[in-house]
Amino acid sequence: MSQASRSLASRTLPLLIGVVALGGIGAAAAWYGLSQHGATATASNECAIAKPMADRLKPLAKGELAAVGVSNAPKPPPEISFAGPDGQPRTLSAFKGRTILVNLWATWCVPCRQEMPALDKLQAEFGGSDFEVVAVNVDTRNPDKPKAWLQENGIRNLAYYADPGGKLLQTLQKSGHVVGLPTTFVVDASGCEVALLKGPAEWASPDAFTFVRTALGKP
C-alpha cells in the first residue's frame, strides 16, 4: 500500500467508525422511543375500560373542582407504597375494585390542613365498600404529630395512612404528580388513574359530591 493510500485509510477509518457508532446510537434511540411508545400504548389499552367514566367526569370538573384535570387517556397510577392503619405496607393495587381518592397531606402544609375537614366529610358521605378517601400523611418528623392533629381537629372518618420515609413523595415528584401539597388523584375501580389535582379543593361541596357520585356510577 502506498503512503497516500495509507494516509487516506487513516483518515477514512475513524470517520466510518463514527458513522457506524452514530448509526448504532440512532438505532438504540429509535428502539427506546418505540419501546416507550409501546409501554404507553399498553398502559392506555389496559385502561381503555376507564375512558367512558373519564368522559363523564370531564364536564364535572368545574366550580369548586375547576382545577381538577380529568385524563383524556386514563392510565395506571405510579407504583407507590405507604403504611396502612395497621402499620403494614400498602400499595394502590390493594384497593382494586374500589374507587379511591388519594390525597397527600402534611401538618406543615396550611392548605392541606384546611381541606382535611372536607375530605373527612367526603369519606363520611361516600365511604364504604366501593369508595375510600386514602389520605396519606407525608410528615417525616415526629410521627405522632399527624395523628394528634387529626384527633384535635375532629377528623374521625379517615383511616390513617402515612409515609414517614418520604419515598412516596419522591416517586410522585418524579412522575410529575406532585409539585407541592396537597395533591389529589382519583383511581377508579379498575385501578386506573382518571383525574389529578395539584392543589386544594372544597371536597365537601355539591360539585365534589356530584363528581364522586358520578365516579361511582351512582345517579
Side-chain angles (χ1 to χ4, degrees):
M1 180 182 292
S2 68
Q3 182 66 31
S5 298
R6 285 196 296 271
S7 177
L8 176 62
S10 66
R11 291 196 303 271
T12 304
L13 184 58
L15 178 61
L16 290 174
I17 293 173
V19 170
V20 172
L22 286 173
I25 292 172
W31 178 87
Y32 177 78
L34 288 172
S35 67
Q36 289 297 97
H37 176 75
T40 301
T42 299
S44 297
N45 291 336
E46 180 183 340
C47 286
I49 190 173
K51 181 68 164 57
M53 175 60 69
D55 290 341
R56 289 193 292 273
L57 291 175
K58 191 172 289 290
L60 302 177
K62 60 182 182 179
E64 296 290 349
L65 297 188
V68 172
V70 178
S71 178
N72 291 318
K75 61 185 182 302
E79 294 184 6
I80 55 176
S81 177
F82 45 90
D86 57 1
Q88 297 301 308
R90 298 285 180 89
T91 63
L92 296 183
S93 61
F95 298 91
K96 197 165 185 178
R98 307 169 72 190
T99 296
I100 56 174
L101 186 144
V102 183
N103 174 269
L104 273 62
W105 72 283
T107 57
W108 44 261
C109 165
V110 174
C112 299
R113 298 199 305 266
Q114 291 173 339
E115 76 172 355
M116 290 305 288
L119 288 168
D120 195 52
K121 290 178 182 177
L122 187 67
Q123 174 65 20
E125 180 73 19
F126 294 101
S129 60
D130 59 351
F131 177 78
E132 183 176 356
V133 175
V134 181
V136 185
N137 178 266
V138 295
D139 282 53
T140 56
R141 298 180 181 179
N142 191 355
D144 294 327
K145 183 178 179 180
K147 293 181 181 179
W149 186 90
L150 292 172
Q151 186 172 5
E152 290 167 3
N153 288 274
I155 309 300
R156 301 281 184 264
N157 299 296
L158 299 177
Y160 185 71
Y161 298 96
D163 178 46
K167 292 183 178 179
L168 176 152
L169 198 57
Q170 292 177 5
T171 299
L172 293 181
Q173 285 172 333
K174 290 178 181 178
S175 68
H177 284 65
V178 173
V179 293
L181 293 179
T183 291
T184 303
F185 57 96
V186 178
V187 179
D188 78 346
S190 67
C192 297
E193 182 185 318
V194 295
L196 171 66
L197 172 63
K198 300 176 183 180
E202 180 46 73
W203 292 106
S205 65
D207 290 328
F209 280 15
T210 298
F211 190 90
V212 172
R213 191 176 293 111
T214 302
L216 294 173
K218 296 181 177 181

